[in-house]
Amino acid sequence: MRLSRSFLPVMKESPAAAEIVSHKLMLRAGLVRQTAAGIYAWLPIGLRVLTKIEQIVREEQDKAGAIEMLMPTLQSADLWRQSGRYDAYGPEMLRITDRHDREMLYGPTNEEMITSIFAGEARSYRDLPRTLYHIQWKFRDEVRPRFGVMRGREFLMKDAYSFDLDEAGARNSYYTQLLAYLRTFQRLGIQAVPMKAASGPIGGDLSHEFIVLAPTGESEVFYDAAFDEFDWAQSGLSYDNAAGLEKLFEQVSATYSATDETHDEERWTKVAEDRRRTGRGIEVGHIFYFGTKYSESMGLKVSGPEGTMVTPEMGSYGIGVSRLVGAIIEASHDDAGIIWPDAVAPWKVGLVTMRGDDPATVAAADDIYARLQAAGVEVLYDDRDERGGVKLGSMDLIGLPWQLVLGPRGLANGLVELKNRRTGEKQELIIDDAINRLT
Ligand code: P5A
């Protein structure tokens, strides 16, 4: 992408309205613009990151055997009357009336809808187990939307729903998602610690939150150093290995982690002092097992292996896809700007000409740009006729993993500079070597 032809509005000044660093950086680097309280437009660079996160979430769900579909954002009030949540949900639900005076709502979650759809089709135990998911916008009319996309009113969520014949099956589905979450967050390049949650409005007795560690996080967290050290994503563990999944769950449960809400001083003092880690964190995922709460109210029944009717056991599993953009920035930035983990970077490398008015520099940059593109490397080419220092500042702010900087002096000797955004390390290389490094 040539910056001169893109829509990448970069701001020098820190916007006063933004309270936390990720929100400031998302505005300054041109990722989003607010269009109403808690509602954001995703500009091209923000959309690229959002799409990359979404794709990693999708791939890990698919590997875990979940099946993708897409449900609408608008739902009928009647669905929610059936579960009893239409009244219970309160003012966080955005209620809408259509031209025929039918009561509708902008979905804050989809337990009712998926259960009702599944109930219409599932007939026997052979239709189980199934885990269905979608990645769709939600709306919650938060009293105080804040911190940009971290607590928005409209936000993108991956929500999965599992249907099983019995509790043992439902637990296996829960453990499967637990592992899928550990793998998803690892691939995203962030550390997310699973913590037993106090069960919220979704209901149920088995529930975990996934908390990304970041100094500006909303909740205080306490955890055992094992969460920093152990390979929780266990690359060798197969989703078919039910005993292995259960063991992983037991290992997670036995290792101390808690938010300020669930913190247990007595258990905490049993963690060796030099292994106690405290900090702050942001909830990026939340998984629930809630038994037959929705299958019962929404009338989901299938015939069991013995012919009797069975009410399936369910769980639901959420990841805050748009919140993750902010959470990743909170966990990965410095004074100069964002530092994207490779997996979600909007482009891999930023190509910068220090002298946009020097024909030889421009010709060399055009050539490198074409070669990198031909090799399939994602490049943002700052081809603007701007001062070199301004361009370098923008590149640091945008936070691509690599910067390839071209100036007349280096080029006279056939050299370019390759900078690693995270370490700040700079290397003078001949052009071919620089290109090889990036391909
Ligand atoms: C699980 C999936 C649920 O809604 N029903 C379907 C369950 N869980 S949850 O914890 O309420 O939400 C799941 C994740 O969505 C993100 N999230 C938000 N992101 C941005 N702004 C918000 N206002 C917001 N509310 C929830 C969180 O990451 C949460 O873990």
Side-chain angles (χ1 to χ4, degrees):
M1 173 65 69
R2 281 176 183 268
L3 224 163
S4 65
R5 290 177 206 166
S6 180
F7 181 57
L8 239 161
V10 167
M11 291 154 69
K12 276 201 207 76
E13 302 303 320
S14 217
E19 290 171 65
I20 59 168
V21 66
S22 62
H23 189 193
K24 287 191 175 111
L25 289 173
M26 286 183 75
L27 293 170
R28 284 188 56 207
L31 272 73
V32 291
R33 288 292 180 265
Q34 181 174 289
T35 59
I39 302 179
Y40 290 85
W42 292 80
L43 305 191
I45 182 170
L47 178 62
R48 285 182 77 95
V49 177
L50 189 68
T51 306
K52 289 202 169 181
I53 295 174
E54 188 183 325
Q55 186 55 22
I56 289 173
V57 170
R58 172 178 291 119
E59 285 171 16
E60 293 304 317
Q61 287 293 303
D62 293 348
K63 285 185 208 162
I67 310 155
E68 186 171 15
M69 56 185 289
L70 184 59
M71 289 178 273
T73 53
L74 294 183
Q75 307 190 20
S76 92
D78 286 340
L79 262 181
W80 286 67
R81 288 209 173 87
Q82 217 176 316
S83 72
R85 281 211 290 183
Y86 190 63
D87 293 326
Y89 216 93
E92 265 198 18
M93 178 181 277
L94 181 65
R95 296 157 207 258
I96 302 161
T97 311
D98 74 9
R99 68 197 298 165
H100 303 292
D101 273 338
R102 278 186 291 246
E103 291 171 281
M104 312 283 292
L105 57 100
Y106 193 132
T109 177
N110 286 67
E111 278 82 3
E112 283 80 355
M113 185 179 280
I114 190 71
T115 311
S116 153
I117 293 171
F118 197 70
E121 311 305 326
R123 292 289 165 262
S124 89
Y125 67 94
R126 278 182 296 267
D127 297 319
L128 304 177
R130 288 289 187 281
T131 296
L132 300 167
Y133 77 97
H134 72 162
I135 301 172
Q136 177 62 293
W137 294 91
K138 306 285 186 285
F139 197 96
R140 293 183 186 174
D141 204 353
E142 305 269 350
V143 199
R144 210 161 103 70
R146 55 188 188 146
F147 304 155
V149 301
M150 294 253 260
R151 184 166 297 284
R153 293 200 295 166
E154 189 184 43
F155 60 96
L156 189 60
M157 193 201 288
K158 181 287 297 180
D159 38 327
Y161 303 88
S162 64
F163 300 91
D164 280 272
L165 194 60
D166 52 24
E167 184 181 336
R171 285 187 168 263
N172 181 256
S173 296
Y174 186 94
Y175 306 155
T176 300
Q177 286 285 325
L178 177 80
L179 178 58
Y181 276 40
L182 292 167
R183 289 180 173 167
T184 302
F185 297 125
Q186 186 182 62
R187 261 188 80 185
L188 291 172
I190 49 178
Q191 195 192 355
V193 179
M195 310 202 169
K196 199 162 169 22
S199 198
I202 308 281
D205 68 345
L206 183 55
S207 172
H208 283 82
E209 294 175 28
F210 289 78
I211 308 276
V212 167
L213 303 168
T216 49
E218 275 196 280
S219 41
E220 210 178 337
V221 296
F222 307 82
Y223 68 95
D224 190 310
F227 282 110
D228 293 337
E229 298 155 1
F230 188 69
D231 173 24
W232 295 94
Q234 301 193 47
S235 54
L237 181 55
S238 157
Y239 287 111
D240 295 329
N241 181 351
L245 291 174
E246 188 172 350
K247 207 173 132 215
L248 172 69
F249 170 76
E250 275 159 15
Q251 226 162 347
V252 167
S253 305
T255 312
Y256 191 84
S257 64
T259 61
D260 36 9
E261 270 180 65
T262 55
H263 188 49
D264 175 349
E265 266 308 317
E266 212 179 296
R267 266 190 78 193
W268 184 232
T269 52
K270 288 184 188 129
V271 178
E273 208 156 336
D274 64 333
R275 303 194 55 79
R276 290 183 207 159
R277 301 281 180 274
T278 57
R280 303 197 69 79
I282 302 156
E283 182 202 310
V284 290
H286 203 153
I287 59 178
F288 304 84
Y289 161 62
F290 44 71
T292 58
K293 184 177 156 92
Y294 298 99
S295 36
E296 225 154 70
S297 56
M298 304 308 292
L300 168 60
K301 267 191 179 32
V302 299
S303 62
E306 277 92 44
T308 53
M309 297 306 278
V310 181
T311 303
E313 297 264 336
M314 291 178 60
S316 74
Y317 314 91
I319 290 182
V321 176
S322 50
R323 173 178 289 186
L324 270 166
V325 180
I328 290 170
I329 296 172
E330 287 294 328
S332 186
H333 67 270
D334 63 13
D335 290 343
I338 302 168
I339 305 174
W340 291 113
D342 291 3
V344 301
W347 292 272
K348 181 175 186 176
V349 53
L351 179 62
V352 177
T353 50
M354 292 304 283
R355 289 277 303 275
D357 59 348
D358 172 47
T361 307
V362 172
D366 284 353
D367 181 54
I368 292 173
Y369 179 55
R371 286 174 65 187
L372 286 171
Q373 281 198 310
V377 179
E378 295 177 315
V379 196
L380 175 64
Y381 176 14
D382 191 346
D383 60 341
R384 294 173 301 167
D385 189 8
E386 264 282 3
R387 281 193 301 116
V390 170
K391 294 188 186 181
L392 293 179
S394 300
M395 274 301 167
D396 278 350
L397 174 64
I398 291 171
L400 308 182
W402 298 97
Q403 294 172 11
L404 193 57
V405 183
L406 276 62
R409 227 173 311 143
L411 282 173
N413 300 312
L415 297 173
V416 294
E417 185 186 274
L418 184 64
K419 176 177 149 183
N420 180 305
R421 173 67 180 88
R422 189 173 292 278
T423 62
E425 198 186 317
K426 292 176 187 169
Q427 261 188 310
E428 292 245 275
L429 297 169
I430 61 168
I431 292 174
D432 285 353
D433 286 348
I435 290 176
N436 284 338
R437 285 285 183 85
L438 294 167
T439 52

